[in-house]
């Protein structure tokens, strides 16, 4: 399970807990970014119910908060799958077959790039460089770095995930 | 106790170093040190054993190899199929000129005592006894130019910030390292984090700034963990805070994490992001050096620029200037990536040729096929054919062939690569990462990708290539920043040097 994803149920995001998280960053440099990162880490995504709280805390409009959230790839607006596979799509990994690897993974997992499977088990998303460019193709598997990833590695991973209770 | 070194570097960890370390740590008489990487990345996890003869290297080591290694006398530097001999004698390492990366992989990155024992803090100690003007002058003398991509003379920037009157000034370290094929910032932050801290304190002293931020990309979890720990220890040891090394001079440093936007590597976009906003590019002027973070004078530098500073102060600007050629002074950590046999980090003085790096150090492609191209300097860098690889790696020589050194990343491709697909990717990437502020980039990139798709499909190839040419001119001349302004470089270099890849769909 992905770190910080223990609370995927939106109802568990009590207003009190959210406010407490946000309050920590109100006076910090770049506080809104820090608060968004904290929410995203804690809940796996940023729930719409957080928007008015953030707007009030930082004294800006809801539209401004939305604008910031939509600018950054890391901020999710809906829960992701139980498992998240991020596959590097940048040039150095392309040079060692990331395009083929990505097609293979999406086909095997039966999910489109950037999507979460209907059963909510698996998300596959792009990432643009993990700094493992000499040892590609690179991936991040539930938050952990992996290098020189092969199709067999993907198969083993997916099999393990499919066989979980 | 036998000391065994197993890197904590991202690459080593991504290839199983934690498991190897756990297994070795459980053995009696073994003291495991998690060092940085030596940069011989194709050999990771690279395990080193301290012996009376020196450190003996083994690699790449997997958890499954540990038993046979121990049986072969690993702890005495015994022979084994994975044994590489003395680390320092490995050609790839021996032929480098390491100034910035001299300690990386040698020491325990989090041990400040180790850092000092290997020459750390000597630059800072000198700077603490100097006037700010003299510190900035030393940087000027070194000829150091920004390693983040734009290669602007560092000394000029320092003097501008120093000359600006303000109650608060900042030093901001750009650790957004978004370029594919680059990992030098990551490696040094994981392998020698106090070097960056030292460089930033000196930058504060040399510009009159008492507060610093490191803007680190979120894709680097290991760098985040190591650098956070180093920061904490630096405060405990009195290296940071109200009185740096007890001198009464203050410097505070904070880590700030990004959220997955390439454009935030552009310095003004980065500053907006650091203010908690969308990472929109700002029009210049005003220069960040005069109105940067929170509207205050701000020195923005790449990690590697700042990490060169302690050497410049410790050894003198003239010493640093002796490396390199012409107006490209000092050393550069080049990074060999992509389809390369021996990938890794090569720190050399400017002037080494691309061929020496690609063939000599890199050993050609990983697949063993012919080299088709190297993309140098990240996603906005040129695709360079083998015929041009005798070009020396320095700013001026690269400019002459329509390319740039950028942050020193070199991505290698073998002859199966399709340059038309790479050119289309350049547009796609620009479309994805554009901050949206100006039209040539925001709309141009999308149009470029569409038109390139037609070229690939073989629709009116010549007409569409002419369209691309026009479009690239508009993007080059009309974009506010280098995102839109330099996307034409990979596109046009691919077309110029590999025309066949674009004409193969041609139905006429
Ligand atoms: C699209 C774009 C992305 C950039 N990305 C980075 C980056 O990831 N790291 C970096 O240091 N500089 C990057 N730069 C360059 C910075 O704008 C700036 O020149 C640099 O941080 C200044 O530091 P230096 O003088 O030490 O190079 C980028 C520039 C552009 C236009
Ligand atoms: S060129 Fe692109 S990234 Fe740069 S300011 Fe214009 S829209 Fe933004
Ligand atoms: S390009 Fe894939 S890790 Fe850098």
């Amino acid at each position: 399970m992905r770190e910080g994803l223990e609370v995927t149920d939106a109802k568990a995001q009590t207003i009190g807990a959210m406010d407490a998280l946000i309050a920590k960053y109100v006076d910090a440099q770049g506080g809104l970014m820090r608060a968004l990162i904290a929410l995203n880490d804690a809940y796996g995504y940023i729930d719409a119910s957080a928007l008015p709280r953030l707007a009030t805390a930082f004294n800006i409009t809801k539209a401004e908060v939305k604008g910031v959230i939509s600018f950054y790839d890391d901020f999710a607006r809906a829960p992701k799958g139980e498992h998240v596979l991020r596959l590097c799509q940048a040039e150095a990994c392309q040079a060692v077959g990331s395009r083929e690897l990505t097609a293979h993974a999406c086909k095997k997992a039966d999910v489109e790039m950037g999507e979460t499977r209907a059963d909510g088990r698996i998300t596959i998303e792009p990432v643009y460089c993990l700094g493992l460019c000499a040892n590609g193709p690179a991936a991040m598997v539930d938050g952990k770095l992996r290098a020189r990833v092969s199709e067999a590695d993907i198969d083993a991973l997916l099999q393990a995930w499919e066989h979980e209770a | 106790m036998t000391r065994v070194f197993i890197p904590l570097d991202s690459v080593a960890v991504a290839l199983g170093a934690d498991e190897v370390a756990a297994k070795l740590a459980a053995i009696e008489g073994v003291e495991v040190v998690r060092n940085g990487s030596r940069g011989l990345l194709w050999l990771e996890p690279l395990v080193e054993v301290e012996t009376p003869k020196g450190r003996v290297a083994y690699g790449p080591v997997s958890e499954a190899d540990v038993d046979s290694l121990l049986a072969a006398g690993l702890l005495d530097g015994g022979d084994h199929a994975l044994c590489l001999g003395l680390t320092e004698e490995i050609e790839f390492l021996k032929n480098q000129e390491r100034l910035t990366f001299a300690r990386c992989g040698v020491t325990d990155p989090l041990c400040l005592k180790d850092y000092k024992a290997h020459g750390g803090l000597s630059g800072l100690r000198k700077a603490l006894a100097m006037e700010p003007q003299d510190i900035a002058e030393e940087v000027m003398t070194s000829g150091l130019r920004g390693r983040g991509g734009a290669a602007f003379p560092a000394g000029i920037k320092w003097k501008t910030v120093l000359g600006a009157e303000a109650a608060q000034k900042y030093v901001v370290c750009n650790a957004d390292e978004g370029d594919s094929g680059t990992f030098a910032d990551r490696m040094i932050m994981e392998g020698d984090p106090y070097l960056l801290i030292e460089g930033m304190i000196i930058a504060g002293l040399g510009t009159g700034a008492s507060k610093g931020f490191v803007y680190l990309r979120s894709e680097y979890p290991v760098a985040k963990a190591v650098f956070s720990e180093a920061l904490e220890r630096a405060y405990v040891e009195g290296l940071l805070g109200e009185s740096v090394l007890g001198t009464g001079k203050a410097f505070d440093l904070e880590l700030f994490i990004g959220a997955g936007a390439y454009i935030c590597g552009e310095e003004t976009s980065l500053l907006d992001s650091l203010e908690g906003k969308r990472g929109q590019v700002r029009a210049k002027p005003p220069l960040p050096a005069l109105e940067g973070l929170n509207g205050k004078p701000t020195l923005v530098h790449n990690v590697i620029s700042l990490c060169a500073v302690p050497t410049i102060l410790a050894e003198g600007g003239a010493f640093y200037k002796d490396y390199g050629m012409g107006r490209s002074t000092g050393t550069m950590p080049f990074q060999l990536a992509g389809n390369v046999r021996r990938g890794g980090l090569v720190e050399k003085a400017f002037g080494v040729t691309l061929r020496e790096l690609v063939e000599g150090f890199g050993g050609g492609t990983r697949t063993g096929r012919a080299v088709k191209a190297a993309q140098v300097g990240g996603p906005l860098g040129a695709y360079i054919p083998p015929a041009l690889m005798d070009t020396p790696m320095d700013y001026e020589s690269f400019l002459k062939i329509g390319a740039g050194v950028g942050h020193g990343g070199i991505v290698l491709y073998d002859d199966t690569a399709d340059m038309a697909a790479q050119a289309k990717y350049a547009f796609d990437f620009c479309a994805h990462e554009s901050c949206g502020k100006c039209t040539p980039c925001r709309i141009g990139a999308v149009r470029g990708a569409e038109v390139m798709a037609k070229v690939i499909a073989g629709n009116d190839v010549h007409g569409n290539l002419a369209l691309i040419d026009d479009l690239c001119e508009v993007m080059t001349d009309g974009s506010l920043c280098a995102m839109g302004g330099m996307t034409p470089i990979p596109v046009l270099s691919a077309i110029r040097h590999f025309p066949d890849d674009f004409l193969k769909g041609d139905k006429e």
Side-chain angles (χ1 to χ4, degrees):
Chain A
M1 185 157 261
R2 214 161 78 112
E3 209 186 325
L5 256 186
E6 291 78 11
V7 202
T8 42
D9 183 0
K11 287 184 217 97
Q13 299 185 28
T14 64
I15 295 296
M18 229 189 266
D19 280 349
L21 241 185
I22 295 168
K24 282 209 275 186
Y25 303 101
V26 168
D27 294 319
Q29 176 69 44
L32 178 58
M33 280 287 285
R34 296 187 199 239
L36 290 170
I37 291 169
L39 288 170
N40 202 54
D41 282 351
Y43 304 114
Y45 74 107
I46 296 165
D47 194 69
S49 65
L51 262 63
R53 326 294 310 168
L54 288 158
T56 310
F58 289 95
N59 200 20
I60 52 177
T61 66
K62 265 199 311 188
E64 281 173 282
V65 178
K66 253 192 191 156
V68 176
I69 294 172
S70 66
F71 190 86
Y72 297 94
D73 283 353
D74 283 1
F75 299 144
R77 278 163 283 181
K80 288 184 188 171
E82 278 165 55
H83 293 290
V84 180
L85 173 61
R86 303 179 81 189
L87 292 171
C88 178
Q89 304 295 303
E91 291 93 328
C93 286
Q94 291 168 2
V96 286
S98 64
R99 289 189 180 98
E100 295 76 11
L101 187 75
T102 302
H104 176 84
C106 289
K107 187 159 164 256
K108 274 270 167 144
D110 190 22
V111 58
E112 298 275 317
M113 177 48 111
E115 307 276 329
T116 298
R117 204 164 69 187
D119 65 2
R121 297 289 316 269
I122 297 172
T123 301
I124 300 187
E125 40 178 49
V127 61
Y128 293 90
C129 193
L130 293 162
L132 306 174
C133 329
N135 308 71
M140 197 180 245
V141 179
D142 289 337
K144 287 194 130 165
L145 296 171
R146 293 280 297 268
R148 276 192 182 243
V149 180
S150 66
E151 291 191 359
D153 292 334
I154 297 280
D155 293 349
L157 196 69
L158 292 175
Q159 201 170 23
W161 288 349
E162 302 291 359
H163 286 86
E164 279 171 359
Chain B
M1 274 292 187
T2 306
R3 296 224 296 168
V4 179
F5 296 81
I6 306 160
L8 51 66
D9 180 275
S10 290
V11 168
V13 169
L15 292 166
D18 288 349
E19 290 74 16
V20 174
K23 198 154 174 184
L24 280 167
I27 290 161
E28 195 146 353
V30 170
E31 182 198 344
V32 168
V33 178
R34 302 302 302 268
N35 57 337
S37 171
R38 298 270 196 164
L40 301 93
L41 296 177
W42 80 101
L43 296 173
E44 293 291 359
L46 182 89
V47 173
E48 289 176 81
V49 179
E50 204 168 59
T51 76
K53 292 174 293 176
R55 275 155 72 160
V56 178
Y58 299 82
V61 175
S62 74
E63 195 185 353
D65 298 320
V66 173
D67 288 333
S68 80
L69 279 165
L70 287 167
L74 171 80
L75 301 181
D76 301 308
D79 202 20
H80 185 277
L82 295 177
C83 184
L84 303 158
L86 293 173
T87 315
E88 306 283 350
E89 295 299 321
I90 299 173
E91 294 249 311
F92 189 93
L93 197 58
K94 205 177 166 183
N95 297 334
Q96 300 196 24
E97 293 159 282
R98 288 204 167 186
L99 299 180
T100 300
F101 281 79
R103 247 181 322 259
C104 191
V106 176
T107 53
D108 174 347
L110 286 167
C111 177
L112 196 55
K113 222 174 95 192
D114 217 5
Y115 182 68
K116 290 186 222 169
H118 287 80
L121 298 190
S122 48
L124 175 61
R125 285 188 211 282
K126 278 205 182 156
L128 282 165
M130 289 163 73
E131 290 301 320
Q133 290 78 357
D134 298 333
I135 299 173
E137 193 56 47
E138 205 61 55
V139 172
M140 195 79 184
T141 304
S142 74
L144 176 69
R145 291 165 68 180
R147 304 293 190 236
F152 188 80
I156 296 181
K157 221 150 70 171
W158 287 47
K159 287 186 174 176
T160 309
V161 178
L162 178 61
E165 297 280 338
Q168 180 70 62
K169 300 185 204 175
Y170 298 103
V171 177
V172 170
C173 170
N174 188 341
D176 200 45
E177 197 165 61
D179 288 1
S180 165
T182 67
F183 41 78
D185 298 354
R186 177 186 65 64
M187 267 185 62
I188 206 76
M189 286 181 72
E190 293 172 355
D192 201 13
Y194 295 122
L195 179 65
L196 177 57
I197 295 175
E198 182 180 353
M200 289 191 74
I201 303 173
I202 298 172
L205 294 168
T207 56
S210 59
K211 172 107 205 169
F213 290 94
V214 176
Y215 187 102
L216 176 68
R217 65 202 301 260
S218 64
E219 291 85 348
Y220 284 179
V222 177
K224 178 187 169 189
V226 174
F227 196 76
S228 306
E229 176 67 26
L231 269 184
E232 228 169 272
R233 295 192 190 188
Y235 270 102
V236 172
E237 302 282 337
L239 180 57
L240 288 168
E242 280 172 17
S243 176
V244 172
L245 297 179
T247 56
K249 296 178 179 169
F251 195 78
D252 277 304
L253 188 52
E254 257 187 72
L255 181 62
F256 189 95
I257 307 295
Y262 176 76
I263 193 59
C264 287
E266 195 283 331
E267 57 185 1
T268 62
S269 161
L270 182 151
L271 293 172
D272 265 25
S273 185
L274 189 45
E275 290 176 8
K277 304 174 190 155
R278 291 163 67 88
Q280 206 106 38
V281 172
R282 301 177 185 173
K284 287 190 241 181
L287 292 172
L290 298 173
E291 283 178 50
L293 183 64
N294 306 329
K296 300 287 187 286
T298 304
L299 182 77
V300 184
H301 264 315
N302 171 255
V303 174
I304 299 300
S305 311
L306 290 161
C307 286
V309 167
T311 305
I312 291 167
L313 266 291
E315 310 288 340
F319 167 87
Y320 192 77
K321 200 189 172 120
D322 268 351
Y323 289 82
M325 58 192 278
R327 295 206 305 116
S328 305
T329 63
T331 60
M332 183 78 188
F334 297 105
Q335 301 131 80
L336 293 171
N339 194 337
V340 60
R341 192 151 81 89
R342 292 188 292 264
L345 183 131
V346 180
E347 183 174 353
K348 281 294 267 184
F350 284 98
V352 57
T353 68
L354 181 54
R355 195 179 307 282
E356 286 172 73
L357 291 171
V358 164
E359 291 175 7
F361 285 92
T365 64
R366 189 200 288 177
T367 46
R369 302 183 62 100
V371 170
K372 178 159 185 173
Q375 188 182 23
V376 178
L380 307 175
Y383 285 99
I384 298 172
L388 289 176
M389 287 189 185
D390 291 313
T391 310
M393 300 277 310
D394 69 81
Y395 299 122
E396 284 71 34
S397 303
F398 259 58
L399 201 63
K400 277 190 214 140
I401 61 162
V405 174
H407 186 50
I410 298 169
V411 176
L412 215 57
Y413 294 82
D414 74 9
D415 57 2
T416 62
D418 175 5
M419 290 299 129
Q422 295 312 118
K424 178 169 183 298
Y425 173 80
F427 280 127
D428 284 332
F429 185 69
C430 182
H432 182 253
E433 302 294 344
S434 169
C435 86
K437 185 140 171 171
C438 65
T439 322
C441 169
R442 188 183 65 238
I443 309 288
V446 177
R447 289 286 170 273
E450 286 167 7
V451 178
M452 196 56 84
K454 288 185 193 159
V455 170
I456 291 168
N459 295 335
D460 184 16
V461 170
H462 295 279
N464 279 315
L465 282 176
L467 259 181
I468 299 253
D469 236 25
D470 283 350
L471 180 70
C472 282
E473 198 179 318
V474 173
M475 288 179 74
T476 305
D477 297 341
S479 298
L480 184 59
C481 85
M483 181 80 236
M486 285 172 64
T487 290
I489 290 178
V491 173
L492 295 177
S493 59
I495 297 174
R496 182 178 334 124
H497 299 305
F498 308 95
D500 293 352
D501 286 11
F502 295 83
L503 299 176
K504 64 177 183 288
D506 198 357
K507 289 173 184 116
E508 279 131 50

